[in-house]
Amino acid sequence: MNRTTKMLMAATLISLPFIANAQKENPRGIYKMITLTGKMGEIKAPFDQYKICTDSITLMLNVQNTFFQISNTDHNIFMYTGDQPKDENDKSSLIYDSSADHFTLKWWSTNKGHLYFPENDWCIEKYESGKYSEMGRIIFNALTSTTTTDPKNPLLGTWRFIGYMDELRNVKKELVKLHGQYPTSKYFNSFMVFTPENLTTIFNRGGGVDKINFDGKKAYKVGNKSYQIKWLSKDRIAIEDRIDYRIDWMILERVTDGITPLSRIASQYVSKSK
């Protein structure tokens, strides 16, 4: 081995720690779990699971078939910690190999009898950004959407669900009541996002996706059920909801302030954690 080759090898060996140490950013953004290391060793992620990492809160989103749930499972803002606990008794979660593209979460599991998680041992989850399942992409597109307008189909876009009306009489007066009740109602932070192929409903911290067929701008169909639409104004609609023999009207208003459903949900979690 000549002197030049030895010097190149030495330079490579010296540079490796710096390459590893470069991955010390705090994870920020949306990340999908790629692998899980637990009882069965390292396996492909058995859950369609995502971490939403911000400077204010870390949220988890799980997808099951066409449904999803958002939770504050971690109760912690993800910050780079390094891959080793402070001491033998330190069981706090670790965040390492972390950047805008990926991170590794190592947490101490006390789960009993879980199929994947060990009991009284470390569990390791690896996450990558920019990765989504087919359903995950639909859901996050809806959660991070704002106003979309299309003259050919004005229903497309994000709508805030503010409540029900029994009849479409005295609409202006009833709308004042709905707006007054909205912040404390069960409909707070509930949305419907219409895209050309899907309807994503978002109820506070969860929701689901349905395939949708449009009948012009006055009706749409989910499965075999049709929903008639009354346009109250350019940015306000009433959707017919038949329950047994009764007809109620869901009142929706188009989101025009540029704030996404995900931002509203995250803000609600942050306010509750203070």
Side-chain angles (χ1 to χ4, degrees):
M1 186 181 296
N2 60 38
R3 184 171 181 273
T4 303
T5 304
K6 288 181 179 180
M7 289 178 66
L8 286 172
M9 287 186 65
T12 303
L13 291 171
I14 291 170
S15 67
L16 285 176
F18 291 98
I19 292 171
N21 290 340
Q23 309 300 314
K24 288 185 175 181
E25 301 174 33
N26 299 324
R28 293 295 178 265
I30 298 169
Y31 300 79
K32 186 182 192 302
M33 184 163 72
I34 303 301
T35 65
L36 183 151
T37 303
K39 278 185 178 180
M40 302 178 183
E42 186 176 37
I43 59 172
K44 183 178 177 181
F47 321 114
D48 192 5
Q49 180 170 294
Y50 303 82
K51 296 288 186 181
I52 305 160
C53 303
T54 76
D55 288 331
S56 303
I57 199 164
T58 303
L59 298 177
M60 185 167 75
L61 185 145
N62 285 96
V63 181
Q64 291 187 347
N65 298 319
T66 60
F67 298 95
F68 65 93
Q69 188 69 36
I70 301 173
S71 60
N72 185 17
T73 303
D74 296 285
H75 301 288
N76 192 18
I77 298 169
F78 278 7
M79 309 288 283
Y80 176 83
T81 63
D83 62 352
Q84 297 297 328
K86 295 176 182 178
D87 56 59
E88 187 177 344
N89 297 317
D90 181 18
K91 308 302 182 188
S92 54
S93 296
L94 304 173
I95 304 291
Y96 57 98
D97 190 23
S98 172
S99 71
D101 299 320
H102 53 76
F103 74 90
T104 300
L105 167 65
K106 186 176 181 179
W107 57 278
W108 185 259
S109 171
T110 56
N111 289 278
K112 293 184 178 180
H114 196 281
L115 180 60
Y116 300 106
F117 303 149
E119 183 179 352
N120 296 321
D121 201 353
W122 292 99
C123 186
I124 300 173
E125 300 173 2
K126 291 185 179 181
Y127 289 82
E128 292 183 12
S129 65
K131 301 290 181 69
Y132 301 91
S133 65
E134 181 180 354
M135 189 57 61
R137 187 173 296 279
I138 292 170
I139 291 166
F140 275 105
N141 282 345
L143 284 169
T144 58
S145 65
T146 52
T147 303
T148 300
T149 55
D150 185 344
K152 295 181 180 179
N153 188 350
L155 273 173
L156 297 181
T158 304
W159 300 78
R160 188 199 328 259
F161 179 34
I162 63 169
Y164 276 94
M165 289 184 188
D166 293 333
E167 298 179 339
L168 296 180
R169 297 178 183 177
N170 300 319
V171 171
K172 289 184 178 180
K173 184 178 179 181
E174 291 300 315
L175 280 172
V176 172
K177 292 181 183 178
L178 289 182
H179 280 288
Q181 298 166 357
Y182 180 71
T184 57
S185 75
K186 65 181 180 180
Y187 308 116
F188 186 62
N189 279 343
S190 296
F191 301 88
M192 297 175 73
V193 182
F194 291 91
T195 63
E197 296 182 350
N198 299 291
L199 167 61
T200 303
T201 54
I202 304 165
F203 291 109
N204 210 338
R205 299 183 184 92
V209 178
D210 288 301
K211 286 290 184 182
I212 190 170
N213 292 307
F214 290 100
D215 183 9
K217 67 176 185 179
K218 295 186 177 180
Y220 65 90
K221 181 179 285 188
V222 175
N224 294 321
K225 188 173 183 179
S226 293
Y227 295 84
Q228 302 300 312
I229 296 170
K230 298 286 185 182
W231 286 84
L232 306 178
S233 68
K234 180 173 69 72
D235 294 322
R236 190 175 285 150
I237 56 176
I239 300 177
E240 182 185 52
D241 189 14
R242 292 179 176 269
I243 303 173
D244 297 327
Y245 298 101
R246 190 179 78 247
I247 297 176
D248 287 331
W249 295 90
M250 299 181 283
I251 308 301
L252 282 76
E253 295 181 343
R254 192 188 303 273
V255 175
T256 59
D257 57 10
I259 301 175
T260 68
L262 183 55
S263 294
R264 294 182 191 277
I265 293 169
S267 296
Q268 188 179 10
Y269 271 114
V270 170
S271 64
K272 286 192 174 185
S273 63
K274 290 181 178 178

